[in-house]
Amino acid sequence: MLYGVEGIGKSTFGSQAPKPIFIQTEDGLDEIDCDRFPLATKFDDVIAALKSLVSEKHDYETVVIDSLDWLERLVWDKLCQQYGVESIEKVDGGYARGYTHALTLWREVLDLLNVLRSRGMVIVLIAHSKVERFEDPESSPYDRYSPRLHKHAAALIKEWCDAVLFATRKMRTQTEEAGFNRKRTVAHAIGKDGGERVMRAYGSPSCVAKNRYGISEELSLSWPAFMSAMTAN
């Protein structure tokens, strides 16, 4: 899974993977030359696309779901339809049961992805980021970036993935005079075009990330850089 802010290059990363096909749950691929299924507007559209990759002959080597947070909306819509309610909060009488029931639909997606992975396909999951408050039992609470998903779904998908990558820009901070004996800390981008785009494959207080490949350094935001780091470890 690769997550980060809008426009940083997450879909481009997916398009650089070997022979990709996109399952798109949101618009945003107009500038990228890639094969794709029609825009999924229902959860069943996503399942149908995955089942076609499982059952039909093709030469695609990568499937990219873009994006998970928009897919989550389709999951919730499916549950609301099943239970005849207007909100995920009201599914099965409320009390957050809807988010637990949603895991059944998420597992349906992951089961199909497992079939494709067992056949040698690469799975790339794209998500946007959010800032969350993390209550660290060993220190004071702090803010960190995480995938923009409900915590139950996020936990399930993060465990399933071999790598959770955070896409960001290189920044530096410096203290400047703000007048009246006050100072302020200002962030500046490092590099051109708003800052060098990088990804982190390891967790830190600033972001949720992990990998099972032993990658412990910051990487350029590109598929070749990721592959190079994987083979070097």
Side-chain angles (χ1 to χ4, degrees), residues 31-50:
E31 305 301 319
I32 298 177
D33 182 17
C34 62
D35 290 346
R36 68 196 77 173
F37 287 95
L39 180 66
T41 59
K42 303 187 298 293
F43 176 77
D44 291 347
D45 294 338
V46 175
I47 295 300
L50 289 170

Side-chain angles (χ1 to χ4, degrees), residues 1-231:
M1 172 166 58
L2 175 71
Y3 76 99
V5 298
E6 291 83 352
I8 198 166
K10 302 182 296 296
S11 299
T12 299
F13 175 88
S15 71
Q16 295 169 346
K19 294 184 180 179
I21 183 167
F22 279 69
I23 297 176
Q24 51 178 346
T25 58
E26 62 170 303
D27 285 320
L29 294 175
D30 293 341
E31 305 301 319
I32 298 177
D33 182 17
C34 62
D35 290 346
R36 68 196 77 173
F37 287 95
L39 180 66
T41 59
K42 303 187 298 293
F43 176 77
D44 291 347
D45 294 338
V46 175
I47 295 300
L50 289 170
K51 285 183 175 179
S52 71
L53 291 174
V54 168
S55 61
E56 297 176 14
K57 189 174 182 180
H58 61 81
D59 62 354
Y60 295 112
E61 298 178 13
T62 301
V63 58
V64 183
I65 296 182
D66 191 359
S67 65
L68 289 180
D69 35 309
W70 281 73
L71 173 54
E72 184 167 61
R73 300 182 189 191
L74 304 184
V75 168
W76 293 353
D77 287 346
K78 176 77 172 181
L79 281 173
C80 289
Q81 182 183 27
Q82 289 176 348
Y83 283 86
V85 295
E86 298 178 354
S87 167
I88 186 71
E89 298 283 352
K90 297 180 180 180
V91 168
D92 196 13
Y95 299 101
R97 292 192 184 99
Y99 302 111
T100 302
H101 287 307
L103 296 181
T104 300
L105 299 184
W106 279 114
R107 290 189 181 99
E108 187 176 348
V109 172
L110 296 181
D111 285 346
L112 289 167
L113 291 177
N114 275 330
V115 175
L116 297 176
R117 183 161 63 173
S118 70
R119 297 179 183 178
M121 286 194 76
V122 176
I123 313 297
V124 177
L125 308 176
I126 302 297
H128 296 92
S129 62
K130 66 179 180 181
V131 177
E132 66 175 6
R133 191 71 168 169
F134 180 61
E135 300 288 339
D136 192 334
E138 295 185 343
S139 69
S140 300
Y142 53 83
D143 292 338
R144 66 177 182 179
Y145 285 102
S146 65
R148 192 189 297 168
L149 296 166
H150 186 271
K151 61 182 180 180
H152 294 341
L156 175 68
I157 296 168
K158 285 186 294 184
E159 174 60 27
W160 182 84
C161 290
D162 292 321
V164 176
L165 311 172
F166 172 58
T168 186
R169 290 179 172 85
K170 272 193 172 182
M171 306 289 288
R172 62 179 174 83
T173 58
Q174 70 180 56
T175 302
E176 298 179 351
E177 294 291 340
F180 301 102
N181 268 338
R182 292 183 295 118
K183 297 181 182 294
R184 63 181 178 183
T185 301
V186 181
H188 297 278
I190 299 175
K192 299 179 180 179
D193 301 322
E196 180 185 351
R197 301 178 186 197
V198 296
M199 57 185 173
R200 298 175 191 150
Y202 53 92
S204 71
S206 64
C207 67
V208 171
K210 72 161 197 180
N211 75 94
R212 296 173 179 150
Y213 309 115
I215 302 172
S216 58
E217 69 271 21
E218 193 171 80
L219 307 174
S220 295
L221 180 52
S222 73
W223 184 262
F226 180 54
M227 288 293 99
S228 178
M230 279 183 58
T231 55

